[in-house]
Amino acid sequence: ENQISATNSSAASNLLTEALSTKGHTTLDLAGKIIENDRYNMLEGLVREFKSNTLIGRGITGQLILNSNHLKSIPDDLLSNCLPNVQVISMTDNRFAELPTSLQTSCSRTVKQLLLEKNHLTTESLEQATWFQSISLPSSLSSPWFLQRITHLNLSSNRLTSFPIDTSSNCHCFPALEVLNLLNNRINTVHDWKRLPESLTVLDLSENLIEDI
């Protein structure tokens, strides 16, 4: 058992070294690097590496790239505890059918871009996420992290039939949002989108099923 643990630790350490060497030590590039039969355990190994040396995770101030790994989930601690300063999270071309819990619970306030194109996300799965639900918070607290800071949200090439906006809320959805990409989904109507912020400059609804706006 100890030998297996040591082997896993060595593999995680080697993966971390490789991922940090691709684009510099401020970006963790794991695109296509997660072994097919051991994806979750490899990510758990990375979490242990970050916890044993918190300075490494805090130094990743650029991107977390998890593209093209066929991922369905990620460890809860990966974002909430290990990468507090990352600005771009890219999970393109995976198999997420719902938003990872780690995305919903992260206390990071630095993330500005969230890229989730080419996954299996549905409107129903987004509606179940805490950051699309109206939550009553004390005035001393702000809303979930990426609702406040995120400027770019890419949900293109998923399975959305609409974009869930809480029209009963007095608050704008994603108050800093500048770019919302919903290209190539299954959206057939645009409901009350007035809650989108004035900061929005790009809304891409091309290649959907919309006949009338």
Side-chain angles (χ1 to χ4, degrees):
E1 183 177 346
N2 290 337
Q3 184 175 359
I4 293 175
S5 177
T7 300
N8 290 340
S9 177
S10 177
S13 179
N14 292 338
L15 177 62
L16 180 59
T17 299
E18 180 184 358
L20 289 173
S21 66
T22 306
K23 298 181 183 296
H25 281 214
T26 60
T27 290
L28 186 66
D29 184 7
L30 292 165
K33 292 182 173 70
I34 309 299
I35 295 176
E36 182 173 357
N37 295 325
D38 202 25
R39 295 187 183 102
Y40 195 85
N41 286 336
M42 291 186 72
L43 290 176
E44 285 280 14
L46 284 179
V47 168
R48 289 191 292 271
E49 288 291 313
F50 286 129
K51 287 183 175 180
S52 67
N53 189 340
T54 58
L55 290 179
I56 296 178
R58 293 182 181 279
I60 298 174
T61 57
Q63 304 179 64
L64 166 63
I65 305 174
L66 285 167
N67 302 348
S68 305
N69 282 307
H70 302 288
L71 296 173
K72 296 180 180 180
S73 64
I74 59 176
D76 291 348
D77 287 348
L78 182 60
L79 296 175
S80 56
N81 293 319
C82 299
L83 299 171
N85 300 317
V86 68
Q87 294 189 45
V88 179
I89 297 175
S90 183
M91 297 182 176
T92 299
D93 193 20
N94 281 291
R95 296 178 180 175
F96 293 110
E98 58 186 25
L99 290 173
T101 301
S102 188
L103 275 179
Q104 300 181 53
T105 60
S106 174
C107 60
S108 170
R109 298 189 179 278
T110 60
V111 176
K112 295 182 178 180
Q113 297 187 36
L114 179 57
L115 313 178
L116 287 164
E117 66 265 39
K118 295 183 180 178
N119 278 285
H120 300 167
L121 297 170
T122 64
T123 297
E124 292 73 22
S125 67
L126 292 189
E127 288 174 338
Q128 295 301 313
T130 56
W131 46 295
F132 274 101
Q133 296 176 6
S134 179
I135 303 174
S136 297
L137 294 173
S139 58
S140 60
L141 298 177
S142 59
S143 58
W145 59 283
F146 31 89
L147 295 184
Q148 292 293 324
R149 301 286 180 154
I150 193 168
T151 61
H152 290 65
L153 177 60
N154 192 335
L155 290 164
S156 63
S157 300
N158 276 281
R159 301 174 180 179
L160 306 180
T161 56
S162 65
F163 184 66
I165 298 174
D166 182 8
T167 57
S168 66
S169 172
N170 292 324
C171 298
H172 283 296
C173 183
F174 302 98
L177 193 64
E178 298 174 6
V179 177
L180 176 57
N181 190 341
L182 299 173
L183 175 149
N184 190 30
N185 276 281
R186 303 171 184 177
I187 298 173
N188 55 23
T189 184
V190 178
H191 296 292
D192 185 357
W193 293 50
K194 295 179 182 179
R195 295 298 177 191
L196 289 174
E198 295 180 358
S199 58
L200 190 70
T201 58
V202 177
L203 172 60
D204 192 342
L205 289 167
S206 55
E207 297 183 37
N208 275 283
L209 305 175
I210 300 172
E211 296 182 355
D212 186 27
I213 298 179

